C-alpha cells in the first residue's frame, strides 16, 4: 500500500532556533555563494568589490570583500558569515495580506495565513519556519482580517518556545489600531509597516526582512541578508527567473551588470515584455537556463536597511501604500541602491483556489514532490497536536499524504491529501482531493445523538465519491453523496448549499453539511 505520511516538526524542547549546517563567524571574511550549475561544473565565480559596511547604524571605512551577485539562495554549499548575527540584527515582518477574496470560502472564517495546508500545517508556518531556520527569531505578523484563528495558532505553536535565557525571540501578531497619526485600517503593505514603524524602530537591528504569509517555498534568509550587506544595498528584492509564458502574470524587473535594479514593469505584454529581458547569468543562472528564463520577477520578499525604511516611509513617500508598486520603484528614482537577489528554487504564490489546490496536491507528486516537508536541515514547524497514528482498515491508499489521527475504513484514496482527524467510511472513494480534516473528534455519545436526530456526523459517509475538490474542516458529508462536478461547471457560488466552484474545483465551506444522496 504505497503511501506518504507527513513528518511533524514540533517546537517543544527547543531553546534556540538556528539554521543547521551553516558556518557563522565573526569579523569580515570572504563569503562564497554559488549557483547549482556552478557547483556541478566545479567552478565558483568571485567578484571583488570595494564597499562600505554598515554596523549599528554607522558606516565603517571601505574594505575589499568578496561579493557574489551570483548568490542563489538554494545553493547548499554557500557559507553565511553575518556580523552581527541575524538573531540580533534582523527583524522579520510577515504581511498577512488582505481579505483573501481570491481564496474565499477558505478565508470566510480565518485569515489567509491561517488556512490549513499540507495535511497538518498552516500557511503561516512556512515563513515562520524559514525565519527560525535562518536564525531570525524576532518575528511580527501583520494582519487585519479574521485574525482570531491565526493568533490562536501562533500563540500555541510558538509563544512558549521562543524565549529563554539570553534568547529574546518572539512571534507576535499585530492588528490595526487607531492613533492620532493613523486613524484607518491598513491600506496596503507599506502602510501596514508604516503604522507600526514606531514599534519596529525600537528594535536595535540593521535590517527589516519583509515577507508574505501566503507563499510556499524554502529559503535561507541569512544568505539573502548577506548578499544585501555585501552589495551595500539599501533594499534587496528576491527575484525569481521565469520564461516568457509565465512572465506576463508578474511584476518584472530589469538589472544592470552589477545586479542593481533599474526598471520595473507590471504584467507587461508584447513589446513591453520583450524590453524587460535581462541577462540572468549576472545573477547566477548557467547559459542554457538563462536562455530559457530571460526574465526576473519580484517575489514580494525584501530586505530593507533600517535607515532606508525609515526615510522612505516617513520622509520620501509618506503617502505610499504598497511596497511593490510605489515604495521600491520610488527608491530607485531617488537614487537608492536596490539590488536583485536570485532565488532559483520552488516558489508558489498560493493566493487563489486553483494555486492552493495545485500546491497541496503537488506534495504527493512522484518521484519528487514539488515541495517536500522531509528536509532535516530546514524543517517546517507547526503546533504539536499529540494525536494518535492514523488507523487504516482494509483501505486502498495510493500516492497520498495522510495526516495524524485519521480513521480510514475499507475505502479508496488516490492522489489526495488527508488532513488531521479525518474520518472516512466504508465504500468511499476520494480522488484528487484535499481534505482539511477536523478540529475535534465527536464522541460515540455525540454520534448516537446525531443519528437519533437524523443528522450527519463529521466525516465522509459510506459509499460517497469525491473528486477534484477541497473539503474545508469539520465537513458532515452524508452517505451516497457525489461531489464530482457532474456538469463540469467552472464557476458557481452556492454558499447556502455549502459550496463554491472556482476553476472547476468544488470547495466546501467550513462546517458544511451535505445531506445523504446529494450530487454536486
Amino acid at each position: 500500500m504505497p503511501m506518504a505520511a507527513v513528518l511533524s516538526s514540533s517546537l517543544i524542547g527547543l531553546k534556540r532556533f538556528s539554521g543547521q549546517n551553516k558556518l557563522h563567524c565573526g569579523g569580515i571574511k570572504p563569503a562564497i555563494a554559488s549557483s547549482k550549475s556552478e557547483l556541478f561544473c566545479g567552478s565558483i565565480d568571485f567578484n571583488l568589490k570595494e564597499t562600505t559596511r554598515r554596523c549599528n547604524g554607522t558606516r565603517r571605512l571601505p574594505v575589499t570583500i568578496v561579493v557574489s551577485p551570483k548568490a542563489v539562495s538554494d545553493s547548499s554549499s554557500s557559507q553565511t558569515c553575518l556580523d552581527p548575527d541575524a538573531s540580533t540584527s534582523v527583524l522579520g515582518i510577515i504581511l498577512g495580506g488582505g481579505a483573501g477574496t481570491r481564496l474565499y470560502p477558505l478565508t470566510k472564517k480565518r485569515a489567509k495565513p491561517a488556512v490549513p495546508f499540507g495535511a497538518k500545517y498552516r500557511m503561516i508556518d512556512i515563513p515562520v519556519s524559514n525565519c527560525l531556520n535562518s536564525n531570525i527569531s524576532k518575528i511580527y505578523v501583520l494582519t487585519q482580517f479574521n485574525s482570531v484563528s491565526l493568533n490562536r495558532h501562533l500563540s500555541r505553536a510558538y509563544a512558549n518556545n521562543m524565549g529563554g535565557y539570553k534568547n529574546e525571540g518572539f512571534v507576535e501578531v499585530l492588528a490595526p489600531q487607531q492613533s492620532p497619526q493613523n486613524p484607518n485600517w491598513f491600506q496596503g503593505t507599506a502602510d501596514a509597516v508604516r503604522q507600526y514603524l514606531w514599534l519596529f524602530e525600537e528594535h536595535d537591528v540593521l535590517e527589516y526582512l519583509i515577507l508574505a504569509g501566503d507563499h510556499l517555498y524554502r529559503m535561507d534568509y541569512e544568505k539573502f541578508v548577506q548578499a544585501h550587506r555585501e552589495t551595500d544595498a539599501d533594499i534587496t528584492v528576491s527575484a525569481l527567473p521565469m520564461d516568457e509564458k509565465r512572465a506576463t502574470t508578474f511584476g518584472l524587473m530589469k538589472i544592470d551588470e552589477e545586479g542593481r535594479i533599474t526598471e520595473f514593469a507590471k504584467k507587461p505584454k508584447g513589446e513591453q515584455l520583450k524590453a524587460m529581458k535581462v541577462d540572468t547569468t549576472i545573477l547566477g543562472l548557467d547559459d542554457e537556463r538563462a536562455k530559457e528564463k530571460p526574465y526576473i520577477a519580484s517575489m514580494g520578499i525584501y530586505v530593507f536597511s533600517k535607515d532606508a525604511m525609515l526615510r522612505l516611509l516617513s520622509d520620501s513617500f509618506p503617502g505610499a501604500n504598497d511596497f511593490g508598486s510605489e515604495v521600491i520603484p520610488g527608491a530607485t528614482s531617488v537614487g537608492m541602491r536596490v539590488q536583485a537577489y536570485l532565488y532559483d528554487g520552488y516558489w508558489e504564490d498560493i493566493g487563489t483556489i486553483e494555486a492552493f489546490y495545485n500546491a497541496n496536491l503537488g506534495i504527493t507528486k512522484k518521484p519528487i514532490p514539488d515541495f517536500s516537508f522531509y528536509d532535516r536541515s530546514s524543517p517546517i514547524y507547526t503546533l504539536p497536536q499529540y494525536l494518535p497514528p492514523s488507523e487504516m482498515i482494509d483501505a486502498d491508499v495510493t500516492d497520498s499524504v495522510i495526516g495524524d489521527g485519521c480513521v480510514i475504513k475499507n475505502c479508496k484514496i488516490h492522489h489526495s491529501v488527508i488532513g488531521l482527524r479525518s474520518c472516512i467510511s466504508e465504500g468511499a472513494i476520494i480522488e484528487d482531493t484535499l481534505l482539511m480534516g477536523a478540529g475535534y473528534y465527536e464522541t460515540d455519545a455525540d454520534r448516537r445523538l446525531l443519528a437519533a436526530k437524523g443528522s450527519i456526523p463529521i466525516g465522509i459517509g459510506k459509499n460517497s465519491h469525491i473528486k477534484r475538490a477541497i473539503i474545508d474542516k469539520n465537513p458532515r458529508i452524508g452517505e451516497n453523496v457525489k461531489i464530482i462536478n457532474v456538469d463540469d461547471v467552472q464557476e458557481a457560488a452556492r454558499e447556502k448549499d455549502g459550496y463554491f466552484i472556482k476553476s472547476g474545483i468544488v470547495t466546501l465551506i467550513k462546517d458544511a453539511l451535505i445531506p445523504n444522496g446529494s450530487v454536486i
Side-chain angles (χ1 to χ4, degrees):
M1 179 180 67
M3 182 193 71
V6 174
L7 176 67
S8 168
S9 293
S10 164
L11 296 180
I12 296 300
L14 294 182
K15 296 295 184 183
R16 176 176 174 272
F17 294 101
S18 64
Q20 301 178 44
N21 302 328
K22 299 174 186 165
L23 176 63
H24 300 278
C25 45
I28 300 174
K29 295 184 180 180
I32 300 171
S34 61
S35 69
K36 287 179 178 176
S37 57
E38 290 167 332
L39 286 174
F40 294 139
C41 293
S43 64
I44 298 177
D45 288 348
F46 293 82
N47 295 317
L48 293 179
K49 180 174 181 178
E50 190 175 84
T51 187
T52 305
R53 296 296 301 274
R54 287 189 178 86
C55 185
N56 298 325
T58 61
R59 289 180 176 266
R60 292 179 177 173
L61 293 174
V63 292
T64 300
I65 59 176
V66 174
V67 176
S68 177
K70 298 187 177 184
V72 180
S73 66
D74 58 344
S75 167
S76 59
S77 71
S78 302
Q79 297 174 348
T80 51
C81 186
L82 293 182
D83 178 27
D85 189 83
S87 63
T88 60
S89 63
V90 180
L91 182 67
I93 301 172
I94 302 174
L95 303 174
T101 53
R102 295 184 302 163
L103 265 181
Y104 196 87
L106 303 181
T107 52
K108 181 180 180 179
K109 298 180 180 180
R110 57 170 83 90
K112 269 199 300 185
V115 174
F117 183 86
K120 68 175 299 153
Y121 302 93
R122 304 268 183 159
M123 287 165 61
I124 190 64
D125 291 326
I126 303 298
V128 170
S129 297
N130 282 336
C131 282
L132 300 180
N133 293 329
S134 302
N135 203 26
I136 297 170
S137 57
K138 298 177 180 179
I139 306 165
Y140 286 111
V141 181
L142 275 61
T143 187
Q144 66 184 0
F145 292 97
N146 292 332
S147 58
V148 173
S149 62
L150 175 63
N151 205 349
R152 183 190 301 125
H153 175 76
L154 291 174
S155 62
R156 291 177 177 177
Y158 303 101
N160 296 325
N161 303 284
M162 299 291 291
Y165 180 62
K166 291 186 177 180
N167 184 2
E168 300 176 354
F170 58 84
V171 179
E172 294 183 10
V173 175
L174 299 177
Q177 58 182 7
Q178 287 187 322
S179 69
Q181 294 77 26
N182 294 295
N184 302 315
W185 279 31
F186 298 152
Q187 302 300 305
T189 54
D191 184 64
V193 173
R194 182 188 293 109
Q195 289 197 30
Y196 275 101
L197 208 54
W198 61 270
L199 175 61
F200 303 150
E201 192 175 359
E202 292 178 356
H203 290 276
D204 185 19
V205 296
L206 297 183
E207 291 94 11
Y208 298 133
L209 175 65
I210 308 297
L211 306 169
D214 57 354
H215 295 171
L216 180 63
Y217 64 108
R218 181 178 276 106
M219 184 174 182
D220 185 348
Y221 299 139
E222 283 189 294
K223 296 175 185 176
F224 190 17
V225 173
Q226 179 171 286
H228 175 82
R229 293 181 184 179
E230 289 177 345
T231 53
D232 198 36
D234 294 297
I235 306 170
T236 302
V237 181
S238 186
L240 193 72
M242 56 182 53
D243 57 25
E244 184 171 330
K245 181 180 179 181
R246 199 177 178 198
T248 57
T249 61
F250 284 85
L252 303 184
M253 304 175 291
K254 287 193 76 170
I255 55 173
D256 62 17
E257 65 278 1
E258 294 183 348
R260 185 170 179 173
I261 299 173
T262 59
E263 188 179 341
F264 297 85
K266 185 176 182 180
K267 299 181 180 179
K269 303 282 194 304
E271 292 300 318
Q272 187 185 11
L273 175 63
K274 293 179 181 179
M276 295 303 294
K277 282 187 177 181
V278 298
D279 180 8
T280 45
T281 61
I282 294 171
L283 296 175
L285 288 186
D286 58 52
D287 291 338
E288 183 178 350
R289 296 198 67 234
K291 290 179 182 178
E292 295 173 357
K293 299 186 176 183
Y295 300 96
I296 55 171
S298 171
M299 296 168 58
I301 299 171
Y302 318 110
V303 175
F304 279 78
S305 293
K306 182 178 181 178
D307 57 343
M309 177 75 85
L310 298 178
R311 291 202 313 270
L312 286 169
L313 295 188
S314 299
D315 302 327
S316 302
F317 305 100
N321 291 327
D322 186 69
F323 280 122
S325 62
E326 297 176 85
V327 175
I328 294 177
T332 62
S333 68
V334 299
M336 284 190 172
R337 188 175 187 91
V338 182
Q339 288 286 135
Y341 175 78
L342 189 73
Y343 173 77
D344 192 22
Y346 173 81
W347 174 87
E348 190 65 50
D349 179 348
I350 45 182
T352 68
I353 288 292
E354 185 176 19
F356 179 78
Y357 172 84
N358 290 333
N360 271 278
L361 292 193
I363 69 175
T364 70
K365 187 178 292 186
K366 59 182 184 181
I368 301 174
D370 290 338
F371 181 87
S372 176
F373 291 98
Y374 300 86
D375 189 330
R376 294 179 62 188
S377 63
S378 299
I380 304 300
Y381 302 102
T382 192
L383 174 67
Q385 299 280 353
Y386 308 112
L387 293 172
S390 289
E391 181 180 8
M392 283 167 277
I393 303 171
D394 297 327
D396 180 7
V397 183
T398 56
D399 302 339
S400 297
V401 171
I402 310 295
D404 297 338
C406 299
V407 179
I408 300 171
K409 300 178 181 178
N410 193 20
C411 61
K412 181 179 179 180
I413 300 173
H414 174 69
H415 189 227
S416 297
V417 175
I418 309 300
L420 303 171
R421 304 184 189 87
S422 291
C423 294
I424 305 176
S425 300
E426 296 89 338
I429 300 174
I430 312 295
E431 303 175 275
D432 308 323
T433 291
L434 166 63
L435 294 184
M436 291 189 179
Y440 57 94
Y441 289 115
E442 287 179 330
T443 65
D444 291 338
D446 292 333
R447 288 176 171 266
R448 286 194 296 269
L449 183 60
L450 288 168
K453 293 181 178 179
S455 190
I456 299 169
I458 288 178
I460 313 300
K462 293 180 180 179
N463 302 314
S464 290
H465 186 187
I466 303 175
K467 184 174 183 179
R468 190 170 164 76
I470 299 173
I471 310 299
D472 207 338
K473 294 180 73 173
N474 307 328
R476 299 178 184 275
I477 297 176
E479 298 179 3
N480 301 302
V481 170
K482 294 185 183 298
I483 304 176
I484 54 178
N485 197 0
V486 177
D487 298 322
D488 194 26
V489 176
Q490 292 302 300
E491 304 291 329
R494 305 284 178 81
E495 188 160 2
K496 289 184 178 180
D497 296 325
Y499 70 92
F500 284 73
I501 301 177
K502 294 186 177 182
S503 301
I505 302 164
V506 180
T507 303
L508 260 61
I509 65 175
K510 187 178 180 183
D511 303 313
L513 190 154
I514 308 298
N516 296 334
S518 299
V519 178
I520 298 176

